[in-house]
Amino acid sequence: MTENPDAADQTSAGGQRRDLTARLVVPEMDCPSCAQKVDKSLQRVDGVLDATLQPTTGTANVTYDPDRISEADVVEAIEAVGYEVVGGSDTDGDDKQTEADDGVDIAPPSEVWTSLRAKKTWLGAAFVALGLLFEFILTAQNVAVTSVLDYPLHVADVLFLGAVAASGIPVVRGGYYSAKNRSLDIDLLMGTAIIAATGIGYFVEAATLAVLFSIAELLEDYAMDRARDSLRELMELSPDEATVKRDGEEVTVPADEVEVGETVVVRPGDKIPLDGTVVEGESAVDQSPITGESVPVDKTAGDEVYAGAINEEGYLEVEVTSTAGDSTLSRIIEMVQGAQAKKTETEQFVDRFSGYYTPVVVVLAILTAAIPPVVISDPVSVDVAGYGVSFAGDWQTWFIRGLTLLVIACPCAFVISTPVSVVSGITSAAKNGVLIKGGNYLEAMGEVDAVAVDKTGTLTKGELAVTDVVPVGDTDEATLIRHAAGLERRSEHPIAAAILARVDESGVGDVPHPTGFESLTGKGIRGEIDGETYYAGKPALFEELGFDLSRVRRETDGGVLEEDTAESDDEVFTKDALAALEREGKTVVLVGTEAELLGAIAIADEVRPASKRAVQRLRELGVERVVMLTGDNEGTARAIAEEVDVDEYRAELLPEEKVDAVEELQAEYGEVAMVGDGINDAPALATAEVGIAMGAAGTDTALETADVALMGDDVGKLPYLYDLSHTANGVIRQNIWVSLGMKFLLALGVPLGLVNVALAVVVGDMGMSLGVTGNAMRLSRIGPDQFSDT
């Protein structure tokens, strides 16, 4: 049994009570009706406080009072309704570890086609095939071999009964547990139908129903196992072992035994076992399992890396910053599993609907079997769409039709239509670097009418960079940037960091060391280089120094411009050129002495290359309005808005004003998604129907507060998220209405004699269940558009 730190800790000040949570794996609990049966059984156990059942993962988290019951009692309650619990421990209050600590949070892969149930099904199918052979072809050899209560049993009858025994007993057993728990589900309906058909001597129908339903169950198990595969792949990303440096030696230990602060060694081709910071080595790391980035990211000392990422080339030593259970990947897996447990509005509607649908159809089945034989005395012929349909009053005909309606009463196909779609969509998104916190957000994102996008860190990179270097006269770019960097190396302003970064990238040579450095508040900086005073700052600073920026000349004391030289070059750099740079949202820094201007450097928060295409793609997919919200000034906001082609922008907004903007968009357009950094934009994210955080990998706050988290800083994933969600909504609607429509058509055909038991099972149950599952699985084929920041 595991003491779950996330469970409600009911310990009082005196320590009288401690609630524990058993995390159990129940592989055969693979449908909502199965979970309902388990839930009813657990509710009857005194001491069970809460139960979270997830049929899509085959797991049960049961919180209980250890002073009243043990985990063994919980397991017994689940197994009492016919479902095996694997990997559990029979402890009753100590702190012994269970499978939950080993990371088992999903049912293991099942050998569907070689299981005991499958073998019984194949045996039953063989008996049915032989029985049909004797019944319709080898009729002379179909002799009576025995009798029961004076009723002769022929060879075919014995074979059919063998099929019922082999394939039908597991169904009847499940029906018994359903009846015991007063659960009107598929097992009870099918079990009842098999017993009834056998009891009145309809051996062909009983055997056919038992075998076909068992095949349907195997196919549904296979389909659910495939649905679980996507989550298993996510869980298998994190390696089980890590190579750790201890006492000067490298030792291989289980990943969950590595402590924070230890150093792990990651060689080329290895997976990074835990979140951490690179302390030695350089390499390209494939982070696509975590952030969805399509291109490996270069990592050097000081860079963060994530568990599950793959070291492509070089040798790395990583200082661990979080334990195995607290890594970014572990939180992603935990949240994906939690997301599947939250029912969407559509799921809740389907559950309510099925609660009425099944009893109504069962009543109709009983009425169909009982009333017509009493009411219809003579055969009646009716023309239906050109076909002659005969209504006879014999009990056998109407009993079989009632039996068929009983099969159709099972709501499995449309009950699973939403959860399998949600599982497929959420796990597919997680593998592409998009973490959706619940099926309700998956549905909501597909219905948004407008998208509000923060500027800094979302449409732009959130980091200042040099965009233009414009020298004046005989000065070259290298000289200009070198002198600017010499002055800025003593400054801590973000502009200084951008200029110094440009020096590192361009390799312009040695940067001079200034003396007599002085900050000119609100204007710029000043310092001496090689005995001469240089300035770097706003254009206004150089106008104060006497420069006429309309001609880029230094005025004399008499107000007369100094002699023009290099006229053609000077005309390139005018006050209008500076204004043009500023209109583009760039900050202009001039560099020069009191006598000579060396040139200008333009700095801006660069727009992500993917931003414009992402905005265009959102429109193509059907989003009505894309609006940029920013606290930046009007000029910068306008320039960025024009560059990325948003429909409108709103500038100089405080956090509370962003909330007002979102509410205005909701009033005008409908449902709104807000995209921001998950921290500064938290109020607006909470106000929108869907809050989306950018670059959430390694950021606890963003992971916890956002409804959706884009794990990497890739705004290009936004259209993918909308496309996936919109398609998922369509898939869910298709699954529900097609399955309901098929059930309706089959039900209409039953009284007319157009639908038999085999057709009801093959099409109405097995066919539709496989159809909705297969339709849901196609969501995994949707991938992000191939444009990115690279």
Side-chain angles (χ1 to χ4, degrees), residues 297-350:
V297 180
D298 292 332
K299 298 291 184 179
T300 59
D303 291 336
E304 281 187 311
V305 291
Y306 308 113
I310 302 168
N311 183 22
E312 295 273 322
E313 303 168 346
Y315 169 89
L316 293 176
E317 291 187 7
V318 178
E319 182 180 334
V320 175
T321 57
S322 65
T323 59
D326 197 38
S327 69
T328 299
L329 179 59
S330 296
R331 292 200 301 275
I332 291 172
I333 294 170
E334 183 180 348
M335 289 179 181
V336 169
Q337 289 178 303
Q340 296 168 11
K342 301 172 184 175
K343 288 190 176 182
T344 67
E345 290 184 8
T346 305
E347 281 183 275
Q348 293 171 19
F349 162 76
V350 168

Side-chain angles (χ1 to χ4, degrees), residues 11 21 88 106 136 163 186 264 271 313 338 351 384 388 457 459 465 514 533 561 578-579 586 603 669 672 756:
T11 305
T21 296
I106 187 171
F136 298 106
I186 181 75
V264 296
K271 288 182 179 178
E313 303 168 346
D351 286 347
V384 179
L459 294 175
T533 301
L561 292 176
L578 297 180
K586 299 173 181 178
I603 296 162
Y669 297 103
V672 174
N756 57 26

Side-chain angles (χ1 to χ4, degrees), residues 25-61:
V25 179
V26 191
E28 295 176 355
M29 185 184 68
D30 55 9
C31 66
S33 62
C34 303
Q36 185 180 51
K37 199 186 305 183
V38 172
D39 188 46
K40 286 184 177 180
S41 181
L42 290 171
Q43 285 177 9
R44 290 195 292 270
V45 179
D46 182 37
V48 171
L49 306 175
D50 185 48
T52 301
L53 308 175
Q54 299 186 34
T56 50
T57 57
T59 57
N61 292 345

Side-chain angles (χ1 to χ4, degrees), residues 755-777:
V755 176
N756 57 26
V757 171
L759 187 63
V761 174
V762 172
V763 177
D765 181 59
M766 175 173 64
M768 289 314 305
S769 294
L770 290 176
V772 299
T773 303
N775 195 30
M777 290 300 100

